[in-house]
């Protein structure tokens, strides 16, 4: 059985599971899983675990994550991102300044409460919320406490802004984008998202799906079990494997 971790740079347009299955076939693995879903429109770091490395999945789901997010101002959607239907528009064309945005961002740093979106996989009475949303049903959702460790403004052109978000597990970046738009008074939604880090792993060491498929020996792109960071190495890895 093939064991190891693949840092995959997921392309736009693929679901996380579709990207995982293509990677699984490419490296010819029998057992595979990933450690955190990216929406099809999002790109970036998807940690694919094969064989015994699937044992780290639970730990990685608890890890902090870093994203580069683009917020488009002026319109709000029912999903909080560009894939949803527009449900509200600002009265005037937005002209958000960097100073206004910096002032708004200050209120979202640290521990905050966030209400999960209806278009999410969270379950109520055994059904994911998105199934209720598709029927036009809006359910009350209790807020969840999350932590925004860092929220940095990368650029702002008045109608959109790029942000770097370092957050705890359970954070919905599209809800954050929507809440920032509301705080500014001009509405907003998430128009692009790229994940750049999950726990100790970063996008700089990831491989694209096409590049992986073009490799003569794609298995060489995997991080072996003995090379995983301390605390993530499965307990079943023997001392002999670690010293190889």
């Amino acid at each position: 059985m093939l064991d190891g971790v693949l840092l995959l740079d997921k392309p736009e347009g693929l679901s996380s599971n579709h990207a995982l299955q293509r990677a699984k076939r490419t490296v010819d693995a029998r057992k595979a899983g990933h450690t955190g879903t990216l929406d099809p429109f999002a790109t970036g770091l998807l940690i694919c675990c094969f064989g015994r490395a699937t044992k780290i999945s639970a730990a990685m789901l608890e890890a902090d994550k870093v994203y580069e997010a683009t917020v488009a101002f002026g319109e709000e959607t029912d999903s909080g991102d560009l894939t949803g239907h527009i449900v509200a528009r600002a009265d005037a064309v937005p002209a958000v300044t960097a100073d206004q945005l910096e002032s708004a961002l200050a209120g979202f740093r640290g521990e905050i409460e966030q209400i999960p979106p209806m278009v999410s996989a969270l379950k109520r009475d055994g059904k994911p919320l998105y199934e209720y949303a598709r029927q036009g049903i809006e359910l009350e959702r209790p807020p969840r406490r999350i932590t925004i460790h860092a929220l940095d403004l990368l650029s702002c052109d008045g109608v959109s802004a790029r942000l770097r978000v370092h957050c705890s597990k359970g954070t919905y970046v599209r809800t954050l984008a929507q809440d920032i738009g509301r705080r500014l008074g001009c509405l907003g939604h998430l128009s692009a998202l790229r994940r750049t880090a999950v726990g100790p792993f970063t996008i700089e060491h990831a491989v694209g799906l096409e590049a992986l498929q073009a490799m003569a020996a794609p298995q060489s792109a995997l991080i072996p079990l003995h090379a995983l960071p301390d605390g993530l190495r499965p307990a079943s890895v023997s001392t002999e494997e670690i010293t190889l």
Side-chain angles (χ1 to χ4, degrees), residues 58-108:
M60 292 312 301
L61 287 171
E62 299 290 316
D64 290 345
K65 298 171 179 65
V66 181
Y67 298 90
E68 287 185 5
T70 302
V71 183
F73 301 122
E75 296 175 337
E76 191 169 294
T77 69
D78 55 2
S79 64
D81 59 45
L82 75 166
T83 68
H85 300 290
I86 297 171
V87 294
R89 285 189 171 92
D91 294 331
V93 177
V96 178
T97 67
D99 286 344
Q100 288 173 327
L101 189 49
E102 287 283 11
S103 180
L105 295 181
F108 293 97

Side-chain angles (χ1 to χ4, degrees), residues 201 222-230 233 237 241-242:
F201 302 111
L222 272 61
I223 303 172
L225 298 184
H226 67 267
L228 291 174
D230 291 342
R233 192 179 303 117
V237 178
E241 286 179 282
I242 294 173

Side-chain angles (χ1 to χ4, degrees), residues 17-30:
N17 187 59
H18 190 181
L20 171 69
Q21 295 307 318
R22 287 176 61 175
K24 178 185 176 184
R25 289 193 298 270
T26 300
V27 301
D28 195 23
R30 284 191 294 167

Side-chain angles (χ1 to χ4, degrees), residues 121-132:
L122 294 177
K123 291 187 176 180
R124 178 75 60 86
D125 297 329
K127 285 173 51 177
L129 291 180
Y130 63 75
E131 289 192 9
Y132 294 100

Side-chain angles (χ1 to χ4, degrees), residues 3-14:
D3 300 314
V5 172
L6 173 68
L7 305 184
L8 183 68
D9 188 348
K10 188 191 87 66
E12 184 179 356
L14 288 183

Side-chain angles (χ1 to χ4, degrees), residues 197-213:
V198 178
F201 302 111
T202 63
I203 194 67
E204 287 78 15
H205 299 103
V207 60
L209 191 55
E210 289 187 0
L212 180 72
Q213 292 171 325

